[in-house]
C-alpha cells in the first residue's frame, strides 16, 4: 500500500504539471520546497485530500452517474463489467487535475507560507515586463 501512494504521488505530480500548463501557474503544492510545506504534511495532504477523493469521484462517476446519463454505457456495463476499470482510469485524470487545482487554491488561502511563496514567484515574473 505504501508503494501505491508513492506511485500515485508521482502520477499526481505529472498531472499537476499538466494542470499548471492550463492555468498558467508557476508552481503547485506538490513541487514547493520542503520549508514551505513539510514532506510529511505533503504526503498527508496528497493522500487524504487528493488521491482518495479523486479515486472516489472517479468510481462514483463510472458506476453511478454515467449509467444514468448514457444508456449505451449502461448497456455495455451490464454486458461487460470490466469496462469499469477503464472508465475509472480514464476519468481519474481530469478529476485529479481539477481536484489538484482546487486543493492548490485552498492551500494558497489557508497556508500563509505557501501564499507568500506563490506571490514571490509572481513578483519575480513582473520585474521584467
Amino acid at each position: 500500500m505504501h508503494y501505491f501512494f508513492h506511485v500515485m504521488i508521482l502520477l499526481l505530480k505529472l498531472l499537476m504539471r499538466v494542470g499548471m500548463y492550463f492555468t498558467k501557474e508557476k508552481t503547485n503544492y506538490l513541487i514547493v520546497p520542503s520549508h514551505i510545506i513539510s514532506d510529511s504534511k505533503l504526503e498527508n495532504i496528497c493522500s487524504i485530500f487528493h488521491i482518495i477523493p479523486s479515486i472516489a469521484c472517479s468510481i462514483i462517476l463510472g458506476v453511478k452517474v454515467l449509467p444514468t446519463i448514457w444508456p449505451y454505457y449502461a448497456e455495455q456495463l451490464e454486458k461487460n463489467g470490466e469496462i469499469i476499470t477503464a472508465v475509472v482510469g480514464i476519468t481519474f485524470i481530469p478529476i485529479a487535475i481539477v481536484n489538484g487545482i482546487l486543493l492548490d487554491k485552498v492551500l494558497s488561502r489557508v497556508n500563509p507560507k505557501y501564499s507568500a511563496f506563490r506571490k514571490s514567484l509572481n513578483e519575480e515574473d513582473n520585474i521584467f515586463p
Side-chain angles (χ1 to χ4, degrees):
M1 193 68 154
H2 189 65
Y3 291 114
F4 171 75
F5 283 111
H6 284 293
V7 170
M8 290 301 294
I9 289 172
L10 289 175
L11 176 65
L12 289 177
K13 284 184 179 183
L14 175 69
L15 292 176
M16 289 300 292
R17 292 276 182 172
V18 172
M20 284 172 47
Y21 174 76
F22 289 118
T23 60
K24 307 282 192 260
E25 295 288 333
K26 307 231 179 332
T27 189
N28 64 56
Y29 81 97
L30 288 173
I31 57 173
V32 297
S34 61
H35 68 278
I36 304 294
I37 300 175
S38 69
D39 291 336
S40 62
K41 285 184 182 179
L42 184 69
E43 280 191 24
N44 290 339
I45 291 169
C46 190
S47 62
I48 295 171
F49 296 111
H50 200 162
I51 295 173
I52 294 172
S54 296
I55 291 174
C57 287
S58 299
I59 292 170
I60 290 169
L61 182 69
V63 175
K64 293 290 183 185
V65 176
L66 281 178
T68 59
I69 295 173
W70 193 9
Y72 178 74
Y73 174 74
E75 181 181 307
Q76 292 300 319
L77 189 61
E78 288 179 12
K79 290 180 185 176
N80 185 8
E82 295 172 1
I83 196 170
I84 292 174
T85 307
V87 170
V88 168
I90 291 170
T91 58
F92 175 77
I93 293 169
I95 289 173
I97 290 173
V98 170
N99 191 14
I101 292 170
L102 292 174
L103 186 58
D104 198 54
K105 300 290 182 198
V106 168
L107 275 175
S108 66
R109 290 186 181 210
V110 172
N111 189 334
K113 285 184 183 178
Y114 182 64
S115 179
F117 178 73
R118 288 181 57 137
K119 284 180 185 177
S120 71
L121 286 179
N122 288 335
E123 289 173 2
E124 287 176 8
D125 190 42
N126 293 333
I127 291 175
F128 300 107

